């Protein structure tokens, strides 16, 4: 039985990482024409319009917040941390897939990363920008946040508290943002040179010329470039693992039941990669369709991303089981109550919804029929994003709202400003992404050239 | 006087190829011919060119290591100085010098130092940004970032001779040979 099953699976061919028949020229033209010559479609304008409206919602909520203060949010005394940290963790997590694809898969020489790394890295940058906004605005007066967050000599002689995970977070996230931006820009330079050389107008030539720094594709330059790229990948790999580890320390270092758990770092990192891949799918599926990039982002990519989601999703599901087990095994009444309250308390529906998505629904990814159904995968990946948001909501709100002292228990209800800011950052993210696919090559052109058949050197002895 | 020679100063001679194999072969032949001052241009990295052109291994890894060590030392010193000397505060009864809690920031600044030196080091060693370079004077060179491969023997090469070098490059069966104005 197992044998025949195995056999039937093997008979189906693995889709290629790039559609056959592509050449240096066709790869270059297909990708650069999106930026240079193709007419901007109505769909792009419609999408950007939606994003822009949401972006204006963000402006409005930030304006209101700065004028009134963070009292406009639903945060209260036991739940002092709510949407601001839920959304922060959600966005930061989403960013992690970009680095995983660009760095870790590069080190493992996974060729399929080539056509998705550029826009996944862009996604990382935009997600980090959205994430950083929440803790910054939670300070209420972000213009003062600079001395609360960063160590610099100020007239008050104050220095940040380095024993606090919150300051570790500042360093982790700002380093992550910086390194991701560097990695992304370094990857873009040769492609910007391509755009410079192919641009038809003087203005475009000028802009891309300045941005490409005079790159000319010299062999000596490529040699150092490849070394730098590989080293950056090697540095980003531990960095990305450290970022969500540090984010999980924000919780795990405290003593709140439901937060104080040693499983948090690996569980958070797996959750980050899982949600990040869901976001890459959410972006890749419409993009490849709209721009006819099915030859570059093939079914191979869709399959592999689904498998990564399945694997990391299972680690996350293991994390849920582990949390429940230790709540019981610890024999600590606070831990036990936390778990009972999570499952059967007022937020129980949220808990069971996240289990339904992150533990049960992802089992569909085992089936090739599901992995082949792109439209269904789009819906499922959106659901995974929802599931991971719910996970953060449950971890944060259910742990805080009923802690040690029943007299201080309370409920948390988000206000419209909470929702407005969340929706607003989705608008910012979408707006940046729409601008990115319109004005920069969304797929790394020079790396695509290395995987076309022509790139393979012919040996001197033919046949 | 310096400009006695009336020959227009050229940057060199450049041969154009349409595939990476031909470029690597050309570079190998040029090296064997004794040329040393030359460079190859391609739309994507070709590792085989390193040996063909005799490119020495870059010092970049050493720069990155130094940057990382300095970043780590800097981060830890900052934490030590601000928590022990400048602003000592008892937090949760922990010692001023709580080294285990200084590790995450030290780790991050190590990565930051190393990554910044990797990027800045790469651009500085490559002498980029460079607003002008003679190779761009050749109109065909615009395709060096698309699907063409170029080998340029520079006029500073001791074996460079306008006629002889052109004959040599023609012998490599390129798509064309152009003189690069400097």
């Amino acid at each position: 039985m197992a044998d025949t099953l195995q056999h039937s699976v093997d008979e189906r061919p693995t889709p290629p990482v790039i559609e056959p028949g592509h050449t240096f020229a066709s790869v270059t033209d297909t990708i650069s024409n999106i930026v240079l010559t193709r007419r901007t479609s109505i769909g792009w304008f419609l999408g950007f319009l939606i994003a822009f409206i949401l972006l204006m919602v963000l402006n409005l909520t930030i304006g209101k917040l700065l004028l009134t203060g963070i009292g406009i949010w639903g945060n209260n005394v036991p739940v002092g941390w709510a949407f601001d940290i839920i959304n922060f963790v959600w966005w930061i997590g989403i960013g992690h897939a970009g680095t995983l694809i660009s760095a870790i898969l590069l080190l493992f020489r996974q060729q399929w990363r080539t056509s998705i790394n550029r826009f996944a890295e862009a996604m990382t940058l935009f997600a980090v920008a959205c994430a950083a906004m929440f803790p910054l605005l939670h300070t209420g007066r972000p213009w003062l946040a600079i001395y609360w967050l960063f160590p610099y000599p100020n007239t008050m002689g104050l220095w940040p508290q380095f024993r606090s995970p919150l300051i570790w977070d500042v360093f982790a996230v700002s380093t992550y943002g910086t390194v991701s931006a560097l990695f992304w820009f370094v990857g873009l330079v040769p492609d910007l040179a391509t755009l410079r050389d192919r641009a038809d107008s003087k203005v475009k030539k000028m802009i891309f010329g300045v941005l490409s720094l005079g790159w000319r594709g010299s062999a000596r330059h490529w040699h150092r470039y490849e070394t730098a790229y590989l080293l950056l990948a090697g540095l980003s790999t531990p960095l990305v693992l450290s970022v969500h580890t540090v984010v999980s320390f924000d919780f795990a270092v405290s003593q709140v039941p439901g937060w104080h758990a040693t499983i948090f770092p690996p569980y958070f990192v797996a959750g980050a990669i899982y949600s990040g891949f869901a976001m890459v799918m959410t972006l890749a599926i419409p993009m490849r369709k709209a721009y006819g990039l099915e030859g570059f982002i093939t079914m191979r990519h869709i399959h592999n991303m689904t498998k990564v989601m399945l694997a990391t999703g299972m680690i996350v599901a293991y994390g849920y089981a582990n949390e429940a087990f230790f709540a019981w095994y610890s024999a600590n009444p606070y831990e036990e109550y936390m778990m009972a309250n999570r499952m059967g308390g007022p937020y129980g529906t949220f808990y069971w919804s996240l289990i339904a998505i992150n533990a049960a629904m992802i089992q569909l990814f085992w089936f090739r029929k599901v992995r082949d159904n792109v439209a269904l995968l789009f819906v499922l990946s959106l659901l995974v994003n929802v599931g991971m948001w719910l996970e953060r909501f449950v971890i944060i709100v259910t742990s805080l709202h009923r802690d040690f002292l029943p007299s201080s228990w309370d409920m948390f209800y988000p206000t419209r400003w909470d929702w407005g800011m969340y929706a607003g950052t989705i608008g910012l993210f979408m707006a940046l992404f729409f601008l990115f696919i319109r004005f920069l090559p969304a797929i790394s052109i020079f790396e695509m050239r290395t995987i076309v058949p022509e790139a393979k050197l012919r040996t001197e002895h033919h046949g | 006087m310096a400009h006695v020679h009336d020959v227009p100063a050229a940057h060199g001679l450049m041969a154009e190829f349409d595939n990476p194999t031909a470029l690597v072969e050309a570079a190998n032949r040029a090296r064997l011919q004794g040329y040393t001052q030359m460079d190859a241009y391609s739309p994507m990295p070709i590792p085989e060119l390193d040996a063909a052109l005799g490119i020495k291994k870059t010092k970049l890894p050493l720069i990155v290591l130094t940057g990382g060590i300095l970043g780590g030392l800097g981060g830890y010193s900052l934490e030590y100085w601000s928590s022990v000397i400048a602003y000592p505060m008892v937090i949760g009864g922990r010692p001023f010098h709580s080294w285990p809690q200084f590790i995450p920031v030290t780790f991050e600044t190590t990565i930051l130092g190393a990554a910044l030196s990797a990027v800045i080091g790469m651009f500085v060693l490559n002498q980029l940004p460079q607003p002008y370079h003679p190779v761009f004077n050749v109109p065909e060179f615009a395709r060096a970032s698309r699907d063409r491969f170029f080998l340029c023997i520079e006029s500073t090469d001791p074996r460079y001779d306008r006629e002889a070098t052109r004959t040599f490059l023609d012998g490599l069966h390129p798509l064309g040979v152009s003189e690069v104005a400097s």
Side-chain angles (χ1 to χ4, degrees), chain B residues 91-160:
Chain B
I91 303 286
R94 295 177 190 125
F96 294 135
H97 182 205
S98 334
W99 71 265
Q101 291 177 307
F102 293 170
I103 299 302
V105 170
T106 309
F107 176 81
E108 303 299 337
T109 53
T110 307
I111 301 277
L112 186 64
L116 283 172
S117 5
V119 175
I120 297 171
M122 185 269 284
F123 283 128
V124 168
L125 290 175
N126 281 347
Q127 294 172 6
L128 295 173
Q130 189 168 354
Y132 173 77
H133 195 276
V135 287
F136 290 107
N137 290 329
V138 178
E140 289 83 7
F141 192 73
R143 289 180 75 173
S145 65
R146 183 169 179 258
D147 58 349
R148 289 285 190 267
F149 301 80
F150 295 85
L151 179 71
C152 180
I153 297 182
E154 286 153 24
S155 55
T156 49
D157 193 292
R159 290 184 61 94
Y160 182 83

Side-chain angles (χ1 to χ4, degrees), chain A residues 265-282:
Chain A
Y267 160 51
F268 267 52
V269 171
I273 292 164
Y274 168 62
S275 69
F277 267 88
M279 189 55 100
V280 176
M281 294 272 274
T282 312

Side-chain angles (χ1 to χ4, degrees), chain A residues 29 197 218-220 224 449, chain B residues 38-40 43 108 126 145-146:
Chain A
D29 298 350
D197 295 340
S218 148
R220 285 162 219 283
R224 297 192 190 100
R449 290 192 198 104
Chain B
M38 55 181 172
D39 207 345
E108 303 299 337
N126 281 347
S145 65
R146 183 169 179 258

